[in-house]
Amino acid sequence: MGGDYVVIPILLCFLFRTCQLTLVDSIDVDGNLAMDEENTTLLRPKSFDFSWRANIKNEGSGIISHYAMWHTKPGQFYGLRAEMSIWASPNQENSQESGASIQIYCQDGGNYNLIEAGFHISPSLYHNKDIRFFTYWTKDLKSRGCYNLQCPGYVSASGANLVPGQAIVPPSMYGKQDYYVRLSLNQDPNSEDWVVYRHDLEKPSLLGHFPKKLCPGTPRIQALTGFVNYLMNAHGPPMGSGHFPDHYNHDNKKSAYFKHIRYYNQNGHSYSPFGVPMVKLVDRLDCYRANDLVLDYKRGYMFNYGGPSGCVG
């Protein structure tokens, strides 16, 4: 009987296009992006101890990292998919990195391994300020890890539409047009490898995979993350569009987003995250923010995130 109270509001939500229901693609070989158009179920943030995560301020490395993310609690998860907006950062300094990614944290003994795929701007890695597709993995959250194909790990598919390190254009234009790429990272039910697909072409296109040994165990945590990294005693770069998301108005032409968020089950089928507890983590609200995870009539489950440059410490 309790289910009736959920189903009726959901039906009304879709009939009237927008609602606030409280509940607790783009790049081809030449670098062209898909465009999007322009509505909204709140998943209330719940407190969760992120004590397994490496220190945000890593004194040993001299690098500071900040995050604006929504993540699951540890559980039996097999991957996720989302559309990710693409933003340039032309004034970013060589010592700064900014980007967004789909992340899977897998328990491996007493540690959590991390695999991820997304887009970033990293002048120190590429010697320019292009927006690039990237992959990354680390054996545990405290080790240095590996970008792209710099060491054994991620395996690019033959003829992949996107290869790690490939530059993409054009970026979104503030207030005018948002450009996005739809990516997924999930465990293949047959090989048990973690496959990366691009979903905004005529049909899903395999980009590559992480071998299953890099993400072997459960429980797992999956996250959708905007991030920045910069040197200590310096200042942080912009995250996303360089603008804070509006708390009430999810304007995709003014702030970065993850939208059409879906999860995968052990059989490789995607499903709605409805009813799965999600937690918001923003470690520096004065610098970067994320708004509520909402269910939008046209854009599915989504949230906006980002912030300007200038964060210190």
Side-chain angles (χ1 to χ4, degrees):
M1 180 170 179
D4 296 339
Y5 293 95
V6 176
V7 172
I8 291 173
I10 290 175
L11 289 175
L12 291 174
C13 172
F14 282 95
L15 286 172
F16 291 98
R17 296 171 61 87
T18 63
C19 70
Q20 293 286 332
L21 174 64
T22 302
L23 301 171
V24 115
D25 247 78
S26 18
I27 306 173
D28 56 29
V29 212
D30 298 319
N32 298 313
L33 293 171
M35 296 181 292
D36 194 40
E37 31 181 296
E38 285 282 309
N39 282 315
T40 2
T41 266
L42 294 182
L43 298 178
R44 297 293 185 187
K46 295 182 177 180
S47 60
F48 176 58
D49 181 13
F50 236 75
S51 57
W52 49 266
R53 196 179 211 347
N55 290 336
I56 295 295
K57 180 181 282 191
N58 189 331
E59 302 287 349
S61 69
I63 294 174
I64 296 174
S65 301
H66 296 307
Y67 302 85
M69 67 161 72
W70 278 88
H71 68 87
T72 64
K73 295 183 178 182
Q76 298 289 328
F77 295 111
Y78 299 89
L80 67 170
R81 181 175 84 208
E83 290 175 4
M84 306 164 61
S85 57
I86 304 298
W87 292 88
S89 184
N91 298 318
Q92 191 163 307
E93 298 174 6
N94 286 342
S95 60
Q96 300 172 331
E97 178 190 17
S98 65
S101 64
I102 294 173
Q103 301 177 324
I104 308 289
Y105 299 85
C106 308
Q107 191 172 51
D108 184 10
N111 298 314
Y112 271 87
N113 299 348
L114 167 66
I115 58 175
E116 64 180 311
F119 301 91
H120 69 164
I121 300 165
S122 180
S124 64
L125 187 61
Y126 305 108
H127 308 294
N128 58 46
K129 299 173 185 178
D130 293 341
I131 311 163
R132 295 178 183 267
F133 171 63
F134 83 96
T135 59
Y136 179 85
W137 70 272
T138 180
K139 179 65 177 171
D140 61 69
L141 297 178
K142 296 178 182 179
S143 64
R144 187 175 182 85
C146 181
Y147 279 106
N148 302 334
L149 305 176
Q150 293 180 335
C151 64
Y154 180 80
V155 180
S156 194
S158 176
N161 294 101
L162 281 175
V163 296
Q166 180 177 332
I168 59 175
V169 291
S172 299
M173 296 176 286
Y174 184 80
K176 296 181 179 180
Q177 181 64 60
D178 62 308
Y179 295 90
Y180 67 86
V181 175
R182 187 184 302 146
L183 291 182
S184 67
L185 171 58
N186 69 284
Q187 188 171 45
D188 181 271
N190 298 314
S191 67
E192 298 184 0
D193 292 332
W194 290 83
V195 292
V196 180
Y197 274 83
R198 176 182 164 193
H199 294 266
D200 47 87
L201 302 173
E202 292 183 3
K203 61 180 182 178
S205 175
L206 176 66
L207 302 182
H209 73 273
F210 292 95
K212 61 182 179 182
K213 66 181 180 181
L214 299 184
C215 191
T218 57
R220 301 184 181 113
I221 296 165
Q222 44 194 43
L224 298 157
T225 305
F227 64 86
V228 299
N229 297 301
Y230 59 99
L231 292 178
M232 258 184 240
N233 304 317
H235 64 276
M239 181 188 291
S241 69
H243 296 264
F244 290 124
D246 187 285
H247 184 70
Y248 299 103
N249 179 21
H250 293 247
D251 191 334
N252 291 344
K253 294 181 176 66
K254 293 184 177 181
S255 61
Y257 61 74
F258 289 90
K259 65 180 182 178
H260 291 297
I261 299 167
R262 293 184 66 82
Y263 294 164
Y264 284 87
N265 62 23
Q266 60 188 336
N267 298 316
H269 300 137
S270 70
Y271 65 95
S272 165
F274 177 82
V276 179
M278 293 282 286
V279 182
K280 178 163 66 175
L281 171 65
V282 182
D283 68 295
R284 283 291 299 270
L285 279 170
D286 56 327
C287 297
Y288 308 105
R289 299 174 193 168
N291 59 15
D292 290 310
L293 181 63
V294 299
L295 175 59
D296 179 89
Y297 174 72
K298 287 187 176 181
R299 297 169 286 187
Y301 283 90
M302 66 164 293
F303 69 93
N304 295 77
Y305 68 92
S309 63
C311 191
V312 178

